[in-house]
Amino acid sequence: MLSCADATRRVSESLDHPLPLRTRIGLRLHLMMCSACWRFSKQIRGLERLLRGPRKGSEAADSTEEDPQRLSPSKREAIKRALRR
Amino acid sequence: MEADVGGTPPTGAGAGLAGDPCLWVDEHGDALFRYALSQLSDRSTAEDLVQETFVAALEARERFRGDSTPRTWLISVLRHKLVDHVRRAGRQQIAENPETLGAEVEAAFNAHGRWIERPGRWAPEAPAAELERKEFQRALQTCAQGIAGRAGEAFTLRVLCELSSEEVCKVLEVQSTNLWVLLHRARSKLRTCLERTWFDRRTKDEPLC
């Protein structure tokens, strides 16, 4: 039986590469029976989605507001000017 | 939002740097900026290094061979600049003892691999109200930026810069198995950080009925 330490490691790995079938089945069985690892899995997936999420497709929608995770519009223009030189 | 440019012919291998350099800025500027910011935490220095990176890439564009994606190539150029900058600033590289970092994640489990402190219930998963959602995003970004050392760098490249695991391996020059360990540490730390700084605080402030 897979330990919780191994199960969480595999949950994380599944976000980076496809797990072999046998491993995937073992992990799924563990998650079905273990609420703590199930939560871990749900939570880290959710966090990654949130970190990747808001920028996609919202370029125009929030262009009025400065996003601290993006280049400022003025710097963006300055870089483009530097590249045209 | 711009209409999908379905009619544009696919650019061939390595042609990702052949077009108008200004388009690179739109396509990769934010990813480069997030990476620089995660290593420096000073916005204007981060922006300047991104600019230097684009200028250097423009001068060296014929050296881009197309054996990695344009973004990965740009990130590698930026990485050299970051290392130089940190060295010149005379600051200690944010060195993290890998054993300590590993121990911290291991500490979540006992010797039999069972949870010591089980993950808490997060309710609601993400806040619905606009103001609260912004605060939550800020807490999330603070936690993400707070993941120290190579684990943090790997996580930034993988998630915030949206590189594939293979591309992150190339940039950091690590084996994929090592990368998976780093990313697992980073995700565990991120989860714990958010549970402590956001979800715990909430349940204490306003007990659920």
Coordinates of all heavy atoms in Angstrom, one line a residue, chain B residues 48-140:
Chain B
D48 N 14.5 46.4 -15.8 CA 15.7 46.8 -16.6 C 16.4 45.5 -17.1 O 16.9 45.5 -18.2 CB 16.7 47.6 -15.7 CG 16.2 49.0 -15.4 OD1 15.2 49.4 -16.1 OD2 16.7 49.7 -14.5
L49 N 16.5 44.5 -16.3 CA 17.2 43.3 -16.8 C 16.4 42.6 -17.9 O 16.9 42.0 -18.8 CB 17.3 42.3 -15.6 CG 18.5 42.7 -14.6 CD1 18.6 41.7 -13.5 CD2 19.8 42.8 -15.4
V50 N 15.0 42.7 -17.8 CA 14.2 42.2 -18.9 C 14.6 43.0 -20.2 O 14.8 42.4 -21.3 CB 12.7 42.3 -18.6 CG1 11.9 42.0 -19.9 CG2 12.4 41.4 -17.5
Q51 N 14.7 44.3 -20.1 CA 15.0 45.1 -21.3 C 16.4 44.7 -21.8 O 16.6 44.4 -23.0 CB 15.0 46.6 -20.9 CG 15.6 47.4 -22.1 CD 15.2 48.9 -21.9 OE1 14.4 49.3 -21.1 NE2 15.7 49.7 -22.8
E52 N 17.4 44.6 -20.9 CA 18.7 44.1 -21.4 C 18.7 42.8 -22.1 O 19.4 42.5 -23.0 CB 19.7 44.0 -20.1 CG 20.2 45.3 -19.6 CD 21.1 45.1 -18.4 OE1 21.8 44.1 -18.4 OE2 21.2 46.0 -17.5
T53 N 17.9 41.9 -21.5 CA 17.7 40.6 -22.1 C 17.2 40.6 -23.6 O 17.8 40.0 -24.5 CB 16.8 39.7 -21.3 OG1 17.3 39.6 -20.0 CG2 16.6 38.3 -21.9
F54 N 16.2 41.4 -23.8 CA 15.7 41.6 -25.1 C 16.7 42.2 -26.1 O 16.8 41.7 -27.2 CB 14.4 42.4 -25.1 CG 13.2 41.6 -24.7 CD1 12.4 41.9 -23.6 CD2 12.7 40.5 -25.5 CE1 11.3 41.2 -23.2 CE2 11.6 39.8 -25.1 CZ 10.9 40.1 -24.0
V55 N 17.4 43.2 -25.6 CA 18.4 43.8 -26.5 C 19.5 42.8 -26.8 O 19.9 42.7 -28.0 CB 19.0 45.1 -25.8 CG1 20.1 45.7 -26.6 CG2 17.9 46.2 -25.6
A56 N 20.0 42.1 -25.8 CA 21.0 41.1 -26.1 C 20.5 40.0 -27.0 O 21.3 39.6 -27.9 CB 21.5 40.5 -24.7
A57 N 19.3 39.6 -26.8 CA 18.7 38.6 -27.7 C 18.6 39.0 -29.1 O 18.9 38.3 -30.1 CB 17.4 38.2 -27.2
L58 N 18.3 40.3 -29.3 CA 18.2 40.9 -30.7 C 19.6 40.8 -31.3 O 19.7 40.4 -32.5 CB 17.6 42.3 -30.6 CG 17.5 43.0 -31.9 CD1 16.5 42.3 -32.8 CD2 17.1 44.5 -31.7
E59 N 20.6 41.2 -30.6 CA 21.9 41.2 -31.2 C 22.4 39.8 -31.5 O 23.2 39.6 -32.4 CB 22.9 41.9 -30.2 CG 22.8 43.4 -30.2 CD 23.3 44.1 -29.0 OE1 24.0 43.4 -28.2 OE2 23.1 45.3 -28.9
A60 N 22.0 38.8 -30.7 CA 22.5 37.5 -30.8 C 21.5 36.6 -31.5 O 21.6 35.3 -31.4 CB 22.9 36.9 -29.4
R61 N 20.5 37.1 -32.1 CA 19.4 36.3 -32.6 C 19.8 35.2 -33.6 O 19.2 34.1 -33.7 CB 18.3 37.1 -33.2 CG 18.7 37.8 -34.5 CD 17.7 39.0 -34.8 NE 16.4 38.5 -35.1 CZ 15.4 39.3 -35.5 NH1 15.6 40.6 -35.7 NH2 14.2 38.8 -35.8
E62 N 20.9 35.4 -34.3 CA 21.3 34.4 -35.3 C 21.9 33.2 -34.6 O 22.1 32.1 -35.2 CB 22.2 34.9 -36.4 CG 23.5 35.5 -36.0 CD 23.4 36.9 -35.4 OE1 22.3 37.5 -35.6 OE2 24.3 37.4 -34.8
R63 N 22.2 33.4 -33.3 CA 22.8 32.2 -32.6 C 21.7 31.3 -32.0 O 22.0 30.3 -31.4 CB 23.7 32.7 -31.4 CG 25.2 32.9 -31.9 CD 26.1 33.1 -30.7 NE 26.0 34.5 -30.3 CZ 26.1 34.9 -29.0 NH1 26.1 34.0 -28.0 NH2 26.0 36.2 -28.7
F64 N 20.5 31.8 -32.1 CA 19.3 30.9 -31.7 C 19.1 29.8 -32.7 O 18.9 30.0 -33.8 CB 18.1 31.8 -31.6 CG 16.9 31.0 -31.2 CD1 16.7 30.4 -29.9 CD2 15.8 30.8 -32.1 CE1 15.6 29.7 -29.6 CE2 14.7 30.0 -31.8 CZ 14.6 29.4 -30.5
R65 N 19.3 28.6 -32.2 CA 19.3 27.5 -33.1 C 18.0 26.7 -33.2 O 17.9 25.8 -33.9 CB 20.5 26.5 -32.7 CG 21.8 27.0 -33.0 CD 22.9 26.0 -32.7 NE 22.7 25.4 -31.4 CZ 23.2 25.9 -30.3 NH1 23.9 27.0 -30.3 NH2 23.0 25.2 -29.1
G66 N 17.1 27.1 -32.3 CA 15.8 26.4 -32.4 C 15.8 25.0 -31.7 O 14.9 24.3 -32.0
D67 N 16.8 24.7 -30.9 CA 16.7 23.4 -30.2 C 16.0 23.6 -28.9 O 15.9 22.6 -28.1 CB 18.1 22.8 -30.0 CG 19.1 23.7 -29.5 OD1 18.7 24.9 -29.1 OD2 20.3 23.4 -29.4
S68 N 15.6 24.8 -28.6 CA 14.6 25.0 -27.5 C 13.6 26.0 -28.0 O 13.8 26.6 -29.0 CB 15.4 25.5 -26.2 OG 16.1 26.7 -26.5
T69 N 12.6 26.3 -27.2 CA 11.6 27.3 -27.6 C 12.2 28.7 -27.4 O 13.1 28.9 -26.6 CB 10.3 27.2 -26.8 OG1 10.6 27.6 -25.4 CG2 9.7 25.8 -26.8
P70 N 11.7 29.7 -28.2 CA 12.2 31.0 -28.0 C 12.1 31.5 -26.6 O 13.1 32.1 -26.1 CB 11.3 31.8 -28.9 CG 10.8 30.9 -30.0 CD 10.7 29.5 -29.3
R71 N 11.1 31.1 -25.9 CA 10.9 31.6 -24.5 C 12.0 31.0 -23.6 O 12.6 31.7 -22.8 CB 9.6 31.2 -23.9 CG 9.4 31.7 -22.5 CD 8.1 31.5 -21.9 NE 7.1 32.4 -22.6 CZ 5.9 32.5 -22.2 NH1 5.4 31.9 -21.1 NH2 5.0 33.3 -22.9
T72 N 12.3 29.7 -23.8 CA 13.4 29.1 -23.0 C 14.7 29.8 -23.3 O 15.5 30.0 -22.4 CB 13.4 27.6 -23.3 OG1 12.1 27.1 -23.1 CG2 14.4 26.9 -22.4
W73 N 14.9 30.1 -24.6 CA 16.2 30.7 -24.9 C 16.3 32.1 -24.2 O 17.3 32.4 -23.6 CB 16.3 30.8 -26.4 CG 17.6 31.3 -26.9 CD1 18.8 30.7 -26.9 CD2 17.9 32.6 -27.5 NE1 19.8 31.4 -27.4 CE2 19.2 32.6 -27.8 CE3 17.1 33.7 -27.9 CZ2 19.8 33.7 -28.5 CZ3 17.7 34.8 -28.5 CH2 19.1 34.8 -28.8
L74 N 15.2 32.8 -24.3 CA 15.2 34.2 -23.7 C 15.4 34.0 -22.2 O 16.2 34.8 -21.6 CB 13.9 34.9 -24.0 CG 13.7 35.4 -25.4 CD1 12.2 35.8 -25.7 CD2 14.6 36.5 -25.7
I75 N 14.8 33.1 -21.6 CA 14.9 32.9 -20.2 C 16.4 32.5 -19.8 O 16.9 33.0 -18.8 CB 13.9 31.8 -19.7 CG1 12.5 32.5 -19.7 CG2 14.3 31.3 -18.3 CD1 11.5 32.0 -18.8
S76 N 17.0 31.7 -20.6 CA 18.4 31.4 -20.3 C 19.3 32.6 -20.4 O 20.2 32.8 -19.6 CB 18.9 30.3 -21.3 OG 18.2 29.2 -21.2
V77 N 19.0 33.5 -21.4 CA 19.8 34.7 -21.5 C 19.6 35.6 -20.2 O 20.5 36.1 -19.6 CB 19.4 35.6 -22.7 CG1 20.1 36.9 -22.8 CG2 19.7 34.8 -24.0
L78 N 18.3 35.7 -19.8 CA 18.0 36.4 -18.6 C 18.7 35.8 -17.4 O 19.1 36.5 -16.5 CB 16.5 36.5 -18.4 CG 15.9 37.1 -17.1 CD1 16.4 38.5 -16.9 CD2 14.4 37.0 -17.1
R79 N 18.7 34.5 -17.3 CA 19.3 33.8 -16.1 C 20.8 34.2 -16.0 O 21.2 34.5 -14.9 CB 19.2 32.3 -16.3 CG 19.6 31.6 -15.0 CD 19.1 30.2 -15.1 NE 19.1 29.6 -13.7 CZ 20.1 28.9 -13.2 NH1 21.1 28.6 -14.0 NH2 20.0 28.4 -12.0
H80 N 21.5 34.3 -17.1 CA 22.9 34.8 -17.0 C 23.0 36.2 -16.5 O 23.8 36.5 -15.6 CB 23.5 34.7 -18.4 CG 23.9 33.3 -18.8 ND1 24.8 32.6 -18.2 CD2 23.4 32.5 -19.8 CE1 24.9 31.4 -18.7 NE2 24.1 31.3 -19.7
K81 N 22.1 37.0 -16.9 CA 22.1 38.4 -16.4 C 21.7 38.5 -15.0 O 22.3 39.3 -14.2 CB 21.1 39.2 -17.2 CG 21.4 39.3 -18.7 CD 20.9 40.5 -19.4 CE 21.5 40.6 -20.8 NZ 22.9 40.9 -20.8
L82 N 20.8 37.6 -14.5 CA 20.5 37.6 -13.1 C 21.6 37.2 -12.2 O 21.9 37.8 -11.2 CB 19.3 36.7 -12.9 CG 17.9 37.2 -13.3 CD1 16.9 36.1 -13.4 CD2 17.4 38.3 -12.4
V83 N 22.3 36.1 -12.7 CA 23.5 35.6 -11.9 C 24.5 36.7 -11.8 O 25.1 37.0 -10.8 CB 24.1 34.4 -12.6 CG1 25.4 34.0 -12.0 CG2 23.1 33.2 -12.5
D84 N 24.8 37.4 -13.0 CA 25.8 38.5 -13.0 C 25.4 39.6 -12.1 O 26.2 40.1 -11.3 CB 25.9 39.1 -14.4 CG 26.8 38.4 -15.3 OD1 27.5 37.5 -14.8 OD2 26.9 38.7 -16.5
H85 N 24.1 39.9 -12.1 CA 23.6 41.1 -11.3 C 23.8 40.8 -9.8 O 24.3 41.6 -9.1 CB 22.2 41.3 -11.6 CG 21.6 42.4 -10.7 ND1 21.7 43.8 -11.0 CD2 21.0 42.4 -9.5 CE1 21.2 44.5 -10.1 NE2 20.7 43.7 -9.2
V86 N 23.4 39.6 -9.4 CA 23.5 39.2 -8.0 C 25.0 39.2 -7.6 O 25.3 39.7 -6.5 CB 22.9 37.8 -7.8 CG1 23.2 37.3 -6.4 CG2 21.4 37.9 -8.0
R87 N 25.9 38.7 -8.5 CA 27.3 38.7 -8.2 C 27.8 40.1 -8.0 O 28.5 40.5 -7.1 CB 28.0 38.0 -9.3 CG 29.4 37.6 -8.8 CD 30.1 36.8 -9.9 NE 29.5 35.5 -10.2 CZ 29.4 35.0 -11.5 NH1 29.9 35.7 -12.5 NH2 28.8 33.9 -11.6
R88 N 27.4 41.0 -9.0 CA 27.9 42.4 -8.9 C 27.4 43.1 -7.7 O 28.1 43.9 -7.1 CB 27.5 43.1 -10.2 CG 28.7 43.3 -11.2 CD 28.3 44.1 -12.4 NE 27.3 43.4 -13.2 CZ 26.2 43.8 -13.7 NH1 25.8 45.0 -13.3 NH2 25.4 43.1 -14.4
A89 N 26.2 42.8 -7.4 CA 25.6 43.5 -6.2 C 26.2 43.0 -4.9 O 25.9 43.5 -3.8 CB 24.1 43.3 -6.2
G90 N 27.1 42.0 -5.0 CA 27.8 41.5 -3.9 C 26.9 40.8 -2.9 O 27.3 40.5 -1.8
R91 N 25.7 40.5 -3.3 CA 24.8 39.8 -2.4 C 25.1 38.3 -2.5 O 25.5 37.8 -3.5 CB 23.4 40.0 -2.8 CG 22.8 41.2 -2.0 CD 21.3 41.1 -2.1 NE 20.8 41.2 -3.4 CZ 19.7 40.5 -3.8 NH1 19.0 39.7 -2.9 NH2 19.2 40.6 -5.0
Q92 N 24.9 37.7 -1.4 CA 25.0 36.2 -1.3 C 23.9 35.6 -2.2 O 22.8 36.1 -2.1 CB 24.8 35.7 0.1 CG 26.1 35.7 0.9 CD 26.9 34.5 0.7 OE1 26.4 33.4 0.9 NE2 28.1 34.6 0.2
Q93 N 24.3 34.7 -3.0 CA 23.2 34.0 -3.7 C 22.3 33.4 -2.7 O 22.7 32.9 -1.7 CB 23.9 32.9 -4.6 CG 22.9 32.0 -5.4 CD 22.3 32.8 -6.6 OE1 21.4 33.6 -6.3 NE2 22.7 32.6 -7.8
I94 N 21.0 33.4 -3.0 CA 20.0 33.0 -2.1 C 20.2 31.5 -1.9 O 19.5 30.6 -2.4 CB 18.6 33.3 -2.5 CG1 18.5 34.5 -3.4 CG2 17.6 33.4 -1.3 CD1 18.4 34.2 -4.9
A95 N 21.3 31.2 -1.1 CA 21.6 29.8 -1.0 C 20.8 29.1 0.1 O 20.6 29.6 1.1 CB 23.1 29.6 -0.6
E96 N 20.2 28.0 -0.3 CA 19.3 27.3 0.6 C 19.9 25.9 0.8 O 20.3 25.2 -0.2 CB 17.9 27.2 0.0 CG 17.0 26.3 0.8 CD 15.9 27.1 1.5 OE1 15.9 28.3 1.3 OE2 15.0 26.5 2.1
N97 N 20.1 25.5 2.0 CA 20.6 24.2 2.3 C 19.6 23.2 1.8 O 18.5 23.1 2.4 CB 20.9 24.1 3.8 CG 21.6 22.7 4.1 OD1 21.6 21.8 3.3 ND2 22.1 22.6 5.3
P98 N 20.0 22.4 0.8 CA 19.0 21.5 0.2 C 18.5 20.5 1.3 O 17.3 20.0 1.2 CB 19.7 20.8 -0.9 CG 21.1 21.1 -0.7 CD 21.2 22.3 0.1
E99 N 19.3 20.1 2.2 CA 18.9 19.2 3.2 C 17.8 19.7 4.2 O 16.8 19.1 4.5 CB 20.0 18.7 4.0 CG 20.8 17.6 3.3 CD 22.3 17.6 3.7 OE1 22.6 17.6 4.9 OE2 23.1 17.6 2.7
T100 N 18.0 21.0 4.5 CA 17.0 21.6 5.4 C 15.7 21.7 4.7 O 14.6 21.5 5.2 CB 17.4 23.1 5.7 OG1 18.8 23.2 5.6 CG2 17.0 23.5 7.1
L101 N 15.7 22.1 3.4 CA 14.5 22.2 2.6 C 13.8 20.9 2.5 O 12.6 20.8 2.7 CB 14.9 22.7 1.2 CG 13.7 23.1 0.3 CD1 13.0 24.3 0.9 CD2 14.3 23.4 -1.1
G102 N 14.6 19.8 2.3 CA 14.0 18.5 2.2 C 13.3 18.1 3.5 O 12.2 17.6 3.5
A103 N 14.1 18.4 4.6 CA 13.6 18.0 5.9 C 12.3 18.6 6.2 O 11.4 18.0 6.8 CB 14.6 18.4 6.9
E104 N 12.1 19.9 5.8 CA 10.9 20.6 6.1 C 9.6 19.9 5.5 O 8.6 19.8 6.1 CB 11.0 22.0 5.5 CG 10.2 23.0 6.4 CD 10.5 24.4 5.9 OE1 11.7 24.8 5.9 OE2 9.6 25.1 5.4
V105 N 9.8 19.4 4.2 CA 8.7 18.7 3.6 C 8.5 17.3 4.3 O 7.4 16.9 4.5 CB 9.0 18.5 2.1 CG1 7.9 17.7 1.5 CG2 9.0 19.9 1.4
E106 N 9.6 16.7 4.5 CA 9.6 15.4 5.2 C 8.8 15.5 6.5 O 8.2 14.5 6.9 CB 11.0 14.8 5.4 CG 11.7 14.5 4.1 CD 11.0 13.6 3.2 OE1 10.4 12.6 3.6 OE2 10.9 13.9 1.9
A107 N 9.0 16.6 7.2 CA 8.5 16.8 8.5 C 6.9 16.7 8.5 O 6.3 16.6 9.5 CB 8.9 18.1 9.1
A108 N 6.3 16.8 7.3 CA 4.9 16.7 7.3 C 4.4 15.3 7.5 O 3.3 15.0 7.8 CB 4.4 17.2 5.9
F109 N 5.4 14.3 7.4 CA 5.0 12.9 7.5 C 5.9 12.2 8.6 O 7.0 12.6 8.9 CB 5.3 12.2 6.2 CG 4.5 12.8 5.0 CD1 5.1 13.7 4.2 CD2 3.2 12.4 4.8 CE1 4.4 14.2 3.1 CE2 2.5 13.0 3.8 CZ 3.1 13.9 2.9
N110 N 5.3 11.2 9.2 CA 6.1 10.5 10.2 C 6.9 9.4 9.5 O 6.9 9.3 8.3 CB 5.2 9.9 11.3 CG 4.3 8.8 10.7 OD1 4.5 8.2 9.6 ND2 3.2 8.4 11.4
A111 N 7.6 8.6 10.3 CA 8.6 7.6 9.7 C 7.9 6.6 8.8 O 8.5 6.0 8.0 CB 9.3 6.9 10.8
H112 N 6.6 6.4 9.0 CA 5.8 5.5 8.2 C 5.2 6.1 7.0 O 4.4 5.5 6.2 CB 4.7 4.8 9.0 CG 5.2 4.1 10.2 ND1 6.0 3.0 10.2 CD2 5.1 4.5 11.6 CE1 6.4 2.7 11.5 NE2 5.8 3.6 12.3
G113 N 5.5 7.4 6.8 CA 5.0 8.1 5.6 C 3.6 8.5 5.8 O 2.9 8.8 4.8
R114 N 3.1 8.6 7.1 CA 1.7 9.1 7.3 C 1.7 10.6 7.7 O 2.7 11.0 8.3 CB 1.1 8.3 8.4 CG 0.9 6.8 8.0 CD -0.3 6.2 8.9 NE -0.2 4.7 8.7 CZ 0.4 3.9 9.5 NH1 1.0 4.4 10.6 NH2 0.4 2.6 9.3
W115 N 0.7 11.3 7.4 CA 0.6 12.7 7.7 C 0.7 12.9 9.2 O 0.1 12.2 10.0 CB -0.8 13.2 7.3 CG -1.0 13.4 5.8 CD1 -1.6 12.5 5.0 CD2 -0.5 14.5 5.0 NE1 -1.6 13.0 3.7 CE2 -1.0 14.2 3.7 CE3 0.2 15.7 5.3 CZ2 -0.7 15.0 2.6 CZ3 0.4 16.5 4.2 CH2 0.0 16.2 2.9
I116 N 1.5 13.9 9.6 CA 1.5 14.4 11.0 C 0.4 15.4 11.2 O -0.4 15.3 12.1 CB 2.9 14.9 11.4 CG1 3.9 13.8 11.3 CG2 2.9 15.6 12.7 CD1 5.4 14.2 11.5
E117 N 0.5 16.4 10.3 CA -0.6 17.4 10.3 C -1.3 17.3 9.0 O -0.8 17.7 8.0 CB 0.0 18.8 10.6 CG -1.1 19.8 11.0 CD -0.5 21.2 11.2 OE1 0.7 21.3 11.4 OE2 -1.3 22.2 11.0
R118 N -2.5 16.8 9.0 CA -3.2 16.6 7.8 C -3.7 17.9 7.2 O -3.9 18.9 7.9 CB -4.5 15.7 8.0 CG -4.2 14.4 8.5 CD -5.3 13.8 9.2 NE -6.5 13.7 8.4 CZ -6.9 12.6 7.7 NH1 -6.1 11.6 7.6 NH2 -8.0 12.7 7.0
P119 N -3.7 18.0 5.8 CA -4.1 19.3 5.2 C -5.5 19.7 5.7 O -6.4 18.8 5.9 CB -4.2 18.9 3.7 CG -3.3 17.8 3.6 CD -3.4 17.0 4.8
G120 N -5.7 21.0 6.0 CA -7.0 21.4 6.5 C -8.0 21.5 5.4 O -7.7 21.5 4.2
R121 N -9.3 21.7 5.8 CA -10.3 21.9 4.9 C -10.4 23.4 4.5 O -10.4 24.2 5.3 CB -11.7 21.5 5.5 CG -12.8 21.5 4.5 CD -14.0 20.8 5.0 NE -15.2 21.4 4.5 CZ -15.9 22.4 5.0 NH1 -15.6 22.8 6.2 NH2 -17.0 22.9 4.4
W122 N -10.3 23.6 3.2 CA -10.3 25.0 2.7 C -11.7 25.4 2.2 O -12.1 24.9 1.2 CB -9.3 25.2 1.5 CG -7.8 25.1 1.9 CD1 -7.4 24.8 3.2 CD2 -6.7 25.2 1.1 NE1 -6.0 24.8 3.2 CE2 -5.6 25.0 1.9 CE3 -6.6 25.5 -0.3 CZ2 -4.3 25.1 1.4 CZ3 -5.3 25.6 -0.8 CH2 -4.1 25.4 0.0
A123 N -12.3 26.2 3.0 CA -13.7 26.6 2.6 C -13.9 28.1 2.7 O -13.6 28.6 3.8 CB -14.7 25.8 3.4
P124 N -14.3 28.7 1.7 CA -14.4 28.2 0.3 C -13.1 28.2 -0.3 O -12.2 28.9 0.2 CB -15.3 29.2 -0.4 CG -15.1 30.5 0.4 CD -14.7 30.1 1.8
E125 N -12.9 27.3 -1.3 CA -11.6 27.1 -1.9 C -11.0 28.4 -2.3 O -9.8 28.7 -2.0 CB -11.8 26.3 -3.2 CG -10.5 25.9 -3.8 CD -10.3 24.4 -3.5 OE1 -10.5 23.9 -2.5 OE2 -9.9 23.7 -4.5
A126 N -11.7 29.3 -3.1 CA -11.2 30.6 -3.4 C -12.3 31.6 -3.2 O -13.4 31.3 -3.5 CB -10.7 30.6 -4.8
P127 N -12.0 32.7 -2.6 CA -13.0 33.7 -2.2 C -13.8 34.2 -3.5 O -13.2 34.4 -4.5 CB -12.3 34.8 -1.5 CG -10.8 34.6 -1.9 CD -10.6 33.2 -2.3
A128 N -15.0 34.5 -3.2 CA -15.9 34.9 -4.4 C -15.9 36.4 -4.5 O -15.9 37.0 -5.6 CB -17.3 34.4 -4.2
A129 N -15.9 37.1 -3.4 CA -16.0 38.6 -3.4 C -14.8 39.2 -4.1 O -13.7 38.8 -3.8 CB -16.2 39.2 -2.0
E130 N -15.0 40.2 -4.9 CA -13.9 40.9 -5.7 C -12.7 41.3 -4.8 O -11.6 40.9 -5.1 CB -14.5 42.1 -6.4 CG -13.5 42.8 -7.3 CD -13.1 42.0 -8.5 OE1 -13.7 41.0 -8.8 OE2 -12.0 42.3 -9.1
L131 N -13.0 42.1 -3.8 CA -12.0 42.6 -2.9 C -11.2 41.5 -2.3 O -10.0 41.4 -2.3 CB -12.5 43.5 -1.8 CG -11.5 44.1 -0.9 CD1 -10.6 45.1 -1.6 CD2 -12.2 44.8 0.3
E132 N -11.9 40.5 -1.8 CA -11.3 39.4 -1.1 C -10.5 38.6 -2.1 O -9.4 38.1 -1.7 CB -12.4 38.5 -0.4 CG -11.9 38.0 0.9 CD -12.8 36.9 1.4 OE1 -13.9 36.7 0.8 OE2 -12.5 36.3 2.4
R133 N -11.0 38.5 -3.3 CA -10.2 37.7 -4.3 C -8.9 38.3 -4.6 O -7.9 37.7 -4.8 CB -11.1 37.6 -5.6 CG -10.7 36.4 -6.4 CD -11.7 36.1 -7.4 NE -11.9 37.2 -8.4 CZ -13.2 37.6 -8.7 NH1 -14.2 37.0 -8.2 NH2 -13.3 38.6 -9.6
K134 N -8.9 39.7 -4.6 CA -7.6 40.4 -4.8 C -6.6 40.1 -3.7 O -5.5 39.8 -3.9 CB -7.8 41.9 -5.0 CG -8.2 42.2 -6.4 CD -8.1 43.7 -6.7 CE -8.7 44.0 -8.0 NZ -9.8 45.1 -7.8
E135 N -7.2 40.2 -2.4 CA -6.3 39.9 -1.3 C -5.8 38.5 -1.3 O -4.6 38.2 -1.0 CB -7.1 40.0 0.0 CG -7.2 41.5 0.5 CD -8.0 41.5 1.8 OE1 -7.9 40.6 2.6 OE2 -8.8 42.5 1.9
F136 N -6.6 37.6 -1.8 CA -6.2 36.2 -1.9 C -5.1 36.0 -2.9 O -4.1 35.3 -2.7 CB -7.4 35.3 -2.2 CG -7.1 33.8 -2.4 CD1 -6.8 33.0 -1.3 CD2 -7.0 33.3 -3.7 CE1 -6.5 31.7 -1.5 CE2 -6.6 32.0 -3.8 CZ -6.4 31.2 -2.7
Q137 N -5.3 36.6 -4.0 CA -4.3 36.6 -5.1 C -2.9 37.1 -4.6 O -1.9 36.6 -4.8 CB -4.7 37.4 -6.3 CG -5.6 36.7 -7.3 CD -4.9 35.5 -8.1 OE1 -3.6 35.5 -8.1 NE2 -5.6 34.6 -8.7
R138 N -3.0 38.2 -3.8 CA -1.8 38.8 -3.2 C -1.1 37.8 -2.2 O 0.1 37.6 -2.3 CB -2.1 40.1 -2.5 CG -1.0 41.1 -2.6 CD -1.4 42.4 -2.1 NE -2.5 43.0 -2.9 CZ -3.5 43.6 -2.3 NH1 -3.6 43.8 -1.0 NH2 -4.5 44.1 -3.1
A139 N -1.9 37.1 -1.4 CA -1.4 36.2 -0.5 C -0.8 35.0 -1.2 O 0.3 34.5 -0.9 CB -2.5 35.7 0.5
L140 N -1.4 34.6 -2.3 CA -0.9 33.5 -3.1 C 0.4 33.8 -3.7 O 1.4 33.1 -3.7 CB -2.0 33.1 -4.1 CG -1.7 32.1 -5.2 CD1 -1.4 30.7 -4.5 CD2 -2.8 31.9 -6.1

